[in-house]
Amino acid sequence: MNTILHADRKKRAWNELIPAKERKRVYAAALLTGVLVLAGMLYLLQQSGYHTRGFKGIFKNYGSLARLVLFFVLANYVLLLMLRKKLLDRLSPLKKAAVALSRFVRKWHTPAALIAIGLIVLHIAAVFMYGFVWDFHNISGLLALAALLPVPVSGLFRYKKPDRSWHLGSGLAFAVLFLIHAFI
């Protein structure tokens, strides 16, 4: 009986980590990410040659898709910064659009981040299957991955702690390293 209560308390504590209004979106995105990673890995494993130009295109496509989703995720911080610093006129239609867009991006920030992480996992797996070379581009990708690892964990725990600086700081470090990896 005591173990049942303990298990129920653990389950309740885990569910309380994510606010109720976000749970459905987050769980659906986690399920979609799992299916995406599983299907992507099966697709990668079925390829005939790993060190070919076609396979290189596959992992570059995963990286490009992840980049697009990450721009959506990072838009949350850019829009909030623009609104907090009052860079837009009070009555301008541009500010109204930025406020509406900020609400939408904030609502879908976590689900989009989960999907981006799944695409990043596929990109990394494909790069190692293709053949990892120690060059600037791959090292910057590894550094971006190292900066990404604490972001989802600190994002999950930001609901419980009033201090959000870990999520923001590690996210900013990842964003800088990600931009270096993506565009240099």
Side-chain angles (χ1 to χ4, degrees), residues 8 12 25 39 42 45 68 71-72 75 84 89 96 103 105 110 119 125 131 135-136 146 162 168-169 171 181-182:
D8 185 47
R12 196 172 52 229
R25 283 191 305 272
L42 289 174
L45 291 171
L68 291 173
F71 283 143
F72 178 83
R84 284 187 182 152
D89 238 2
K96 290 179 183 178
R103 284 186 189 130
V105 169
T110 304
L119 290 167
D135 61 359
F136 177 79
L168 187 60
H181 174 69

Side-chain angles (χ1 to χ4, degrees), residues 79 82-83 86-102:
L79 288 168
M82 286 173 51
L83 292 171
K86 299 180 182 176
L87 297 177
L88 302 172
D89 238 2
R90 179 182 281 188
L91 300 175
S92 80
L94 194 56
K95 181 174 181 178
K96 290 179 183 178
V99 168
L101 187 59
S102 175

Side-chain angles (χ1 to χ4, degrees), residues 103-174:
R103 284 186 189 130
F104 178 76
V105 169
R106 189 177 328 130
K107 182 178 181 179
W108 291 98
H109 173 81
T110 304
L114 288 172
I115 292 169
I117 288 171
L119 290 167
I120 290 168
V121 165
L122 288 171
H123 175 68
I124 292 167
V127 166
F128 279 105
M129 290 168 77
Y130 177 76
F132 184 83
V133 179
W134 289 97
D135 61 359
F136 177 79
H137 195 71
N138 288 339
I139 292 171
S140 67
L142 283 177
L143 291 173
L145 173 65
L148 175 65
L149 293 176
V151 175
V153 175
S154 60
L156 191 61
F157 289 111
R158 81 178 193 279
Y159 293 117
K160 284 291 184 188
K161 296 180 181 179
D163 183 24
R164 297 178 181 198
S165 62
W166 279 100
H167 184 65
L168 187 60
S170 57
L172 183 62
F174 167 72

Side-chain angles (χ1 to χ4, degrees), residues 1-18:
M1 182 70 177
N2 192 17
T3 58
I4 294 173
L5 291 174
H6 183 67
D8 185 47
R9 194 176 310 130
K10 271 189 170 182
K11 183 179 177 183
R12 196 172 52 229
W14 178 254
N15 277 338
E16 290 173 0
L17 219 62
I18 301 170

